Amino acid sequence: MYSKDGEDYFIVDAHVALWDARPENQRNVHGKQFIDCFYDYHRNLSPESEVWSYEDYLYQGGERLMHDLFEVGYVDHAIFQPAALGEFYHRGFGQTEEAFALAEEHPDKLTYNHNFDPRNGEEGLAQFKRDAERFHLKGVKLYTAEWHGESRGYKLDDPWAYRYFEAAQELGVKNIHIHKGPTIRPLDRDAFDVADVDKVATDFTELNFVVEHCGLPRLEDFCWIATQEPNVHAGLAVAIPFIHTRPRYFAQIMGELMYWIGEDRIQFSSDYALWTPRWLIERFVDFQIPEDMTEYAPLTLEQKKKVLGLNAAAMYDLDVPAELRLPDAEEPATGPRQPERADLAGAER
Amino acid sequence: MTLTPTRDGARLLEADDVRRALDAVLDPELDEPITDLGFVRSVDLAADGSVEVHLRLPTSFCSPNFAYLMVSDAKDALTAITAGRVVVELDDHHDSEIINRGLAADAGYKGTFGGEAERDLEELRATFRRKAHTAAMERCLTGLLRAQPDLAEAALGTVTMGELPAGALTEALRRRRTALGLPDTPDALVLVDEHGAGYPPEEVPLRLRRARSTRISIDGNAHFCRGLLRTRYPGSGADQSDRPEPTFIPLTDLSHQEDR
């Protein structure tokens, strides 16, 4: 819970990790390159006071995670979104057993999502069914640029992926979190393209598709798809830290998301341990679209509350104290949300 | 610049020539020259006219297809200006080995990536040329809206190239149009799709909105990539130069393009 100026905010951090990138877990140079890339993201976008040492960054462990999220981070509930990355790390990047044990120990605070890879075929499908039962899965995290033997990526509309989505629908694993990466087969196309999200969202209307990083670096493609597909949502992982380094850019991201997909389908994510939630939440509550950006409506208190926790709580059936709940916005299921704001000079005319 | 004749009368390559040749190589995704982005790490000229250039990128995990386009374009640009040996290498990337080996053997895109490559990267290039045009178009039209508060948004569908003010934004749009083969005559419509077709007035606001999201996306990526490069390679900021075309401008500033 975060409280400021007499207002209480129920906080759900919809994307956290318990990773292990220490040298002894790195399988090859790519394991080092991967965490180094994360560390550069962290150093580049964090306020100076929030920058960790490289050693701290490699591995946090459960105790530190609990401290960073719940003791000092204002988070009421967090959702693990583990990346497997078995080609880069001996025991995987996301630490399944450790994270799941924590979630078992603190079911009120943590939800464990797992992952699957459609390239594992029948065997992987059977494993996914066992995992769904064992972990009581409500969601999975998919990394489409995961390396897998000779393959370095897949598309969500690949035939095998459809088999897994059919199973997910049957098993009630309703929340599919998608993270796009740089490689895909064939390499001829833009690996960050989100056209495949469009297809699966149309074909699996009972599933929610949360596109992490709100489609960045393809925000425009994501917005165009999400405005037409009511079951496509935006995760703010990696987008929200811009609130510190480039607040005007962040204002444009938020403005675009509010315009195209509306206040009920945007979820706060710190992407812990890339960043910690505390400063992001403080900044977001204080944040406002600059007055000179008349093409966007100002963010309302209700919108901030929904983004910071209520939207993800609804998706995961989390118990929100009655006094903190809000009704859904009276918005159309598809199409732009603030058509009256489409006019740049709307405010003056 | 001074020309240094060699014994056989050919001119020796100089650092300036290399720089100018690489200025023409764009990061297709960010629509900026690799020189301005700081992606050129080193240039080594030898007395025999051969040249070795190393490129660097903001992360190890930048898309290999874009990385390949930049290093192979750089090699092509240098091969065009010297008869000497040209070596271009990409440093510190997850596919450095694959790309550098393929480039050294002049294996081409398919030869470099083998089974991962299907045809070529022309479609990828075309996609990002279209996006670059869309963003340039939005900058000009939004600038016009700012400069003329009484101009209705729906009226932007009939604005022609001749009605745009002279300035860097308009010049940038001209170049992008030329790249797509779109007309550049004063009577040509500004707000067009990649085939040069305009839109009915009722569609104009939504089209402008879509174009704006494209521009925001490209500008944001460019800034993030520049920042990540500075984080990854301390001191590389000195090699980055502001893009000649202003980017990431608050919409309110767009009306002042003629002042820049």
Side-chain angles (χ1 to χ4, degrees):
Chain A
M1 175 91 74
Y2 179 65
S3 304
K4 188 167 184 186
D5 301 332
E7 292 292 341
D8 294 334
Y9 301 79
F10 185 81
I11 309 285
V12 180
D13 193 336
H15 193 300
V16 302
L18 186 58
W19 69 51
D20 185 353
R22 288 175 294 190
E24 58 269 30
N25 193 27
Q26 294 171 11
R27 262 183 82 168
N28 47 38
V29 66
H30 302 308
K32 178 169 181 4
Q33 287 173 333
F34 193 85
I35 194 65
D36 286 358
C37 177
F38 272 24
Y39 190 56
D40 284 349
Y41 274 39
H42 166 78
R43 287 192 297 163
N44 182 251
L45 294 184
S46 300
E48 215 163 311
S49 61
E50 305 296 329
V51 175
W52 289 4
S53 73
Y54 185 66
E55 291 309 304
D56 282 351
Y57 204 75
L58 291 174
Y59 175 75
Q60 293 75 47
E63 208 172 307
R64 174 153 193 181
L65 175 137
M66 295 305 289
H67 172 80
D68 288 338
L69 298 185
F70 304 105
E71 287 171 27
V72 298
Y74 314 120
V75 175
D76 293 289
H77 198 97
I79 301 164
F80 282 114
Q81 307 284 3
L85 301 181
E87 297 280 343
F88 297 175
Y89 299 97
H90 296 295
R91 287 174 286 103
F93 186 62
Q95 298 305 294
T96 302
E97 296 305 328
E98 195 178 356
F100 179 58
L102 268 186
E104 291 282 85
E105 198 184 336
H106 306 280
D108 56 325
K109 289 195 170 70
L110 289 164
T111 295
Y112 181 74
N113 281 4
H114 196 50
N115 41 50
F116 63 64
D117 190 322
R119 290 163 300 181
N120 288 326
E122 288 293 357
E123 199 183 319
L125 199 53
Q127 183 64 47
F128 171 45
K129 289 172 182 171
R130 289 193 295 273
D131 288 341
E133 189 179 358
R134 180 188 166 202
F135 301 131
H136 337 295
L137 292 184
K138 291 181 184 175
V140 284
K141 163 78 182 280
L142 306 182
Y143 180 46
T144 60
E146 176 101 30
W147 294 13
H148 188 276
E150 287 294 289
S151 159
R152 299 199 298 177
Y154 65 92
K155 290 203 290 295
L156 299 167
D157 54 349
D158 289 347
W160 265 107
Y162 266 57
R163 295 273 312 274
Y164 282 66
F165 290 136
E166 281 156 14
Q169 212 157 244
E170 278 164 34
L171 296 162
V173 184
K174 281 180 26 186
N175 307 317
I176 314 292
H177 294 253
I178 296 157
H179 173 190
K180 289 272 173 180
T183 46
I184 199 161
R185 182 174 294 204
L187 275 179
D188 306 22
R189 272 176 246 130
D190 178 20
F192 294 107
D193 183 64
V194 279
D196 53 347
V197 178
D198 200 1
K199 287 207 187 82
V200 294
T202 304
D203 290 340
F204 295 95
T205 49
E206 288 170 47
L207 300 178
N208 296 310
F209 294 91
V210 184
V211 179
E212 296 301 342
H213 324 305
C214 49
L216 292 174
R218 302 288 175 263
L219 178 72
E220 76 277 38
D221 298 341
F222 167 75
C223 286
W224 186 242
I225 285 166
T227 200
Q228 300 170 72
E229 304 292 342
N231 54 335
V232 172
H233 302 249
L236 284 180
V238 183
I240 199 163
F242 286 111
I243 206 166
H244 166 65
T245 47
R246 305 206 62 83
R248 295 187 66 90
Y249 173 50
F250 180 68
Q252 293 182 92
I253 294 178
M254 281 310 295
E256 292 295 317
L257 292 176
M258 285 292 175
Y259 174 79
W260 291 110
I261 68 173
E263 62 194 50
D264 294 326
R265 291 198 270 139
I266 306 170
Q267 301 180 1
F268 166 74
S269 312
S270 69
D271 217 344
Y272 184 88
L274 271 148
W275 298 277
T276 46
R278 187 172 54 95
W279 68 272
L280 293 168
I281 293 162
E282 288 170 357
R283 298 286 183 102
F284 187 73
V285 166
D286 292 345
F287 181 79
Q288 192 46 276
I289 306 251
E291 272 178 34
D292 61 296
M293 291 190 179
T294 52
E295 68 274 23
Y296 304 121
L299 293 178
T300 66
L301 183 67
E302 288 72 24
Q303 287 172 336
K304 289 182 184 178
K305 288 183 175 182
K306 287 179 173 186
V307 170
L308 280 173
L310 300 180
N311 291 343
M315 190 179 277
Y316 280 86
D317 303 319
L318 303 175
D319 191 25
V320 179
E323 68 278 12
L324 298 180
R325 294 177 201 169
L326 286 171
D328 276 358
E330 298 274 318
E331 290 186 323
T334 58
R337 288 347 198 226
Q338 305 167 347
E340 75 286 357
R341 307 293 310 185
D343 199 330
L344 263 185
E348 290 98 44
R349 222 177 281 139
Chain B
M1 59 173 292
T2 41
L3 305 185
T4 320
T6 57
R7 267 172 308 182
D8 56 1
R11 181 165 79 69
L12 268 188
L13 213 52
E14 300 199 5
D16 253 8
D17 303 324
V18 173
R19 165 91 197 188
R20 213 163 323 132
L22 295 177
D23 276 340
V25 178
L26 296 185
D27 178 321
E29 194 181 4
L30 306 181
D31 192 34
E32 288 190 61
I34 58 172
T35 46
D36 291 353
L37 289 163
F39 292 175
V40 180
R41 189 181 200 170
S42 64
V43 174
D44 285 305
L45 290 162
D48 63 354
S50 65
V51 56
E52 179 162 336
V53 169
H54 284 251
L55 301 185
R56 63 187 171 196
L57 294 173
T59 74
S60 314
F61 283 89
C62 292
S63 282
N65 49 15
F66 292 116
Y68 175 83
L69 282 175
M70 286 184 266
V71 290
S72 66
D73 286 357
K75 188 170 182 181
D76 289 347
L78 295 173
T79 305
I81 61 164
T82 180
R85 207 169 64 97
V86 174
V87 175
V88 179
E89 290 207 336
L90 175 63
D91 293 349
D92 309 333
H93 187 270
H94 72 70
D95 272 356
S96 280
E97 208 179 313
I98 295 172
I99 291 173
N100 294 341
R101 202 174 35 225
L103 214 58
D106 289 321
Y109 163 66
K110 283 179 79 169
T112 298
F113 286 108
E116 286 188 290
E118 204 163 69
R119 225 179 34 240
D120 56 41
L121 295 173
E122 286 318 297
E123 198 182 320
L124 185 73
R125 274 194 207 272
T127 299
F128 284 85
R129 266 201 294 264
R130 282 199 297 272
K131 287 183 188 239
H133 164 255
T134 302
M137 183 172 78
E138 187 272 345
R139 288 187 193 108
C140 287
L141 291 173
T142 298
L144 211 57
L145 276 183
R146 288 292 188 207
Q148 304 177 29
D150 54 347
L151 182 67
E153 202 170 38
L156 290 175
T158 58
V159 171
T160 60
M161 290 300 290
E163 291 170 315
L164 291 179
L169 295 177
T170 304
E171 281 314 305
L173 176 60
R174 290 218 149 86
R175 282 196 299 279
R176 306 293 180 273
R177 288 178 73 108
T178 304
L180 286 184
L182 298 175
D184 190 21
T185 49
D187 63 339
L189 291 178
V190 175
L191 186 66
V192 291
D193 64 17
E194 69 260 32
H195 310 294
Y199 301 102
E202 66 274 13
E203 259 187 59
V204 168
L206 186 69
R207 293 293 164 181
L208 188 71
R209 248 351 263 239
R210 277 198 72 181
R212 182 164 302 141
S213 67
T214 302
R215 191 254 308 164
I216 290 168
S217 199
I218 293 175
D219 285 355
N221 293 344
H223 276 273
F224 193 31
C225 292
R226 280 168 172 261
L228 284 171
L229 189 85
R230 292 195 297 272
T231 299
R232 189 179 187 202
Y233 296 103
S236 61
D239 298 332
Q240 295 179 333
S241 44
D242 284 335
R243 54 190 290 170
E245 298 143 22
T247 176
F248 212 82
I249 341 163
L251 292 178
T252 35
D253 292 359
L254 274 171
S255 53
H256 311 305
Q257 71 156 312
E258 55 284 347
D259 310 342
R260 270 193 298 266

